[in-house]
Amino acid sequence: MDWSKIKTIFIIAFLLLDVYLIYEYIKIKEYQRADEYSTEPTTKTLSRLDIQYDKEKLPVNNQKDQYLSAKSKKFTDDEIKELEKGLLSGQEITVRDSIYLQAVLVEPISIKEEFNPEDLTEFLFNQVLNGAEYRFWEKKGNTIKYYQQYAGKTLYRNPKGELTFNVNEENKIVSYNQTYLENIKEMDKEEPITQPLRVILNLFTNNFIESDSYVSYVELGYYTQLDTSAQLLAPTWKVTVNEEDFYVNALDGEVIQPETETEEMKVE
């Protein structure tokens, strides 16, 4: 047995353990620092933690908000027939489970390699049902995703208010899938919401972000809290930190853990 090698391995292992313990100790001290300064202005605490953000880009006009309820639109055969004669002409429409509209374009739409959402605006506004109510979310692989909005606020990652374009290998949009939420109603009365800087600090004190982080974007929208025959939507802050998105209920401060991926609809 080579005791010299074993001794070296033990030394390295203890050194790594020491480094880890020091790192955890520093983090604990940072959280304690945040608590110690809980009575001081949030801006000062964030500064002490060296959490950076662009003050000019923080939303300032959202003081109150409220829960919403909404239901999935159910498409009927008669409605689809009428739409195919007008708004959705040039599209082969099928409906699945009465709420998933699937459209194949008779004439595919060419898009640029570097996709610009403005390139789809005309089609969206003139040839998609309620297309103006959807907002671009992301282009990922061969799909281009949009989510529905209400009162100018996005319904984040909502599979029941989603519009997904499918792109083929020739960079042409050949089909799309759509769901739509209707009968959106405001529930109860408006309540004061947590303001962006406090949300950022909450993310730190709850161990979701670290000091020295950079907050690049903050926006208020809605996230589904309950999805049964109807949806309950909560006002929610979307906070982008170091290119990672976090969602925080704006009324109770709970950090929402999104599912990794929503089920994709496929045109068969």
Side-chain angles (χ1 to χ4, degrees), residues 3 12 43-44 74 108 113 170 186 222 263:
W3 289 105
I12 293 173
T43 51
K44 195 170 183 178
K74 294 187 176 181
E113 191 71 32
E170 298 173 344
E186 297 170 349
Y222 295 96
E263 181 184 358

Side-chain angles (χ1 to χ4, degrees), residues 205-235:
T205 55
N206 285 286
N207 203 19
F208 285 96
I209 66 174
E210 299 181 349
S211 56
D212 303 320
S213 293
Y214 175 65
V215 180
S216 58
Y217 192 72
V218 182
E219 179 191 65
L220 187 64
Y222 295 96
Y223 210 104
T224 304
Q225 292 286 283
L226 184 65
D227 186 4
T228 54
S229 59
Q231 282 202 0
L232 178 66
L233 302 158

Side-chain angles (χ1 to χ4, degrees), residues 38-157:
S38 60
T39 56
E40 71 178 5
T42 308
T43 51
K44 195 170 183 178
T45 306
L46 292 175
S47 177
R48 289 180 188 278
L49 296 169
D50 199 24
I51 295 177
Q52 305 293 319
Y53 56 91
D54 188 339
K55 183 180 177 182
E56 301 300 322
K57 293 182 179 178
L58 291 179
V60 293
N61 296 321
N62 301 286
Q63 300 301 318
K64 292 183 176 182
D65 213 320
Q66 60 202 148
Y67 285 98
L68 306 176
S69 66
K71 290 186 176 181
S72 289
K73 176 178 177 54
K74 294 187 176 181
F75 298 95
T76 65
D77 292 340
D78 289 342
E79 181 183 21
I80 293 301
K81 288 178 182 176
E82 288 300 314
L83 288 169
E84 285 180 318
K85 295 176 184 176
L87 182 72
L88 305 185
S89 61
Q91 303 175 32
E92 297 174 358
I93 306 298
T94 56
V95 174
R96 194 185 80 196
D97 298 336
S98 76
I99 64 171
Y100 298 100
L101 186 148
Q102 304 176 328
V104 175
L105 306 187
V106 175
E107 295 184 7
I109 302 171
S110 295
I111 59 172
K112 299 173 183 174
E113 191 71 32
E114 292 291 328
F115 176 69
N116 184 341
E118 291 184 2
D119 296 340
L120 264 185
T121 299
E122 184 176 349
F123 180 79
L124 198 67
F125 278 52
N126 299 316
Q127 292 182 263
V128 174
L129 182 65
N130 302 319
E133 296 181 33
Y134 292 83
R135 177 187 177 190
F136 173 71
W137 184 257
E138 66 177 2
K139 183 179 186 305
K140 187 176 182 181
N142 63 346
T143 61
I144 302 170
K145 196 177 295 291
Y146 287 70
Y147 284 119
Q148 194 177 332
Q149 290 192 310
Y150 174 76
K153 300 172 188 171
T154 301
L155 311 185
Y156 297 130
R157 303 169 67 92

